[in-house]
Amino acid sequence: MSVPEEEERLLPLAQRWPRTSKFLLSGCAATVAELATFPLDLTKTRLQMQGEAALARLGDGARESAPYRGMVRTALGIIQEEGFLKLWQGVTPAIYRHVVYSGGRMVTYEHLREVVFGKSEDEHYPLWKSVIGGMMAGVIGQFLANPTDLVKVQMQMEGKRKLEGKPLRFRGVHHAFAKILAEGGIRGLWAGWVPNIQRAALVNMGDLTTYDTVKHYLVLNTPLEDNIMTHGLSSDLVGSHKAIQ
């Protein structure tokens, strides 16, 4: 066994498999943020779907007949009518989505930055490259995650269907994937992908540019090195920014 191979085995896992480590780290950070903010996402979806259904059924009288008004009253209504844990209805595919989306976009961005655009030896990386790389990474990450995004929204509405006396469509996450695939084929899993990737491109233009800027600042102005701790701290700061939004 050669000396370089022996030295490589002694390196931390984050340095031996940097892309894999960043994928897992980004997915874990996104999962924590998703669990904390998922009730807000659920109530948003309920309000949107409720408004569309009411307009289709009642027209101008929909405003007076709507059972939920506002995020807080919507959340309280879900708790009272369905139970507290139903605020996390559909969280499993949401976690799948964020692992694929967040991990995929981070690995893609790192590859674009290091290989395609080529960060200079002095670590200088122009803002315009970061913006383009962020948008491209967002598009690829969201395209890969679109099936899980679709299943998440579908499962979020299952509790509402139950209250309305309608039969449930899915027995679980894997049944939802299988049913959508059976009814719409592969293309059915990518329904709505065009507006999704457009949104992801704009979001990641800010998110990944912020992540890279924060990480670069920490490396230059603090004792932190370019390692897994710095990557995690930068990801958390970006995640906190998204949660506030």
Side-chain angles (χ1 to χ4, degrees):
M1 183 178 289
S2 64
V3 175
E5 290 179 341
E6 292 178 351
E7 293 178 352
E8 183 179 355
R9 292 186 60 183
L10 297 176
L11 291 174
L13 293 179
Q15 294 182 28
R16 291 169 60 188
W17 298 299
R19 295 287 188 269
T20 302
S21 299
K22 288 170 186 174
F23 182 94
L24 295 175
L25 180 63
S26 299
C28 290
T31 297
V32 173
E34 181 67 15
L35 287 171
T37 61
F38 188 80
L40 297 176
D41 190 29
L42 175 64
T43 53
K44 176 205 72 175
T45 302
R46 289 287 184 91
L47 283 168
Q48 289 174 336
M49 297 297 292
Q50 172 187 270
E52 293 175 5
L55 285 172
R57 187 174 66 253
L58 301 171
D60 293 337
R63 184 181 299 275
E64 287 75 17
S65 64
Y68 298 146
R69 294 178 186 174
M71 295 290 287
V72 175
R73 292 186 64 181
T74 300
L76 290 176
I78 294 172
I79 293 172
Q80 292 172 356
E81 298 168 5
E82 305 174 44
F84 178 75
L85 293 180
K86 289 300 180 179
L87 288 173
W88 282 268
Q89 177 85 30
V91 73
T92 301
I95 291 175
Y96 290 167
R97 183 255 181 190
H98 274 285
V99 170
V100 175
Y101 170 68
S102 297
R105 66 175 183 152
M106 290 303 301
V107 170
T108 301
Y109 181 76
E110 295 278 346
H111 179 78
L112 290 172
R113 185 186 63 187
E114 304 294 337
V115 179
V116 178
F117 293 123
K119 179 182 282 191
S120 60
E121 294 181 359
D122 61 356
E123 296 298 310
H124 177 67
Y125 193 58
L127 180 62
W128 69 269
K129 289 186 177 181
S130 182
V131 169
I132 294 176
M135 293 180 70
M136 293 177 64
V139 166
I140 294 172
Q142 179 57 50
F143 183 79
L144 294 174
N146 198 80
T148 55
D149 213 5
L150 175 65
V151 171
K152 178 196 76 172
V153 175
Q154 295 283 345
M155 292 196 67
Q156 282 178 331
M157 296 310 301
E158 286 298 271
K160 187 66 176 175
R161 288 177 62 87
K162 185 176 181 180
L163 286 177
E164 293 174 348
K166 298 178 181 178
L168 297 181
R169 297 166 297 177
F170 311 120
R171 295 190 299 270
V173 176
H174 299 100
H175 179 243
F177 274 110
K179 187 171 183 180
I180 293 172
L181 185 61
E183 293 177 352
I186 293 292
R187 294 182 62 181
L189 291 173
W190 271 268
W193 70 272
V194 174
N196 274 347
I197 66 170
Q198 291 173 343
R199 177 182 181 277
L202 295 176
V203 169
N204 282 276
M205 180 178 65
D207 282 357
L208 292 179
T209 301
T210 302
Y211 162 82
D212 216 19
T213 302
V214 169
K215 187 183 72 172
H216 189 63
Y217 177 85
L218 292 174
V219 171
L220 290 180
N221 298 279
T222 71
L224 294 174
E225 299 179 356
D226 190 358
N227 54 28
I228 192 168
M229 181 181 296
T230 307
H231 289 265
L233 182 58
S234 302
S235 298
D236 287 341
L237 290 172
V238 174
S240 299
H241 167 69
K242 290 184 67 177
I244 292 172
Q245 286 183 322

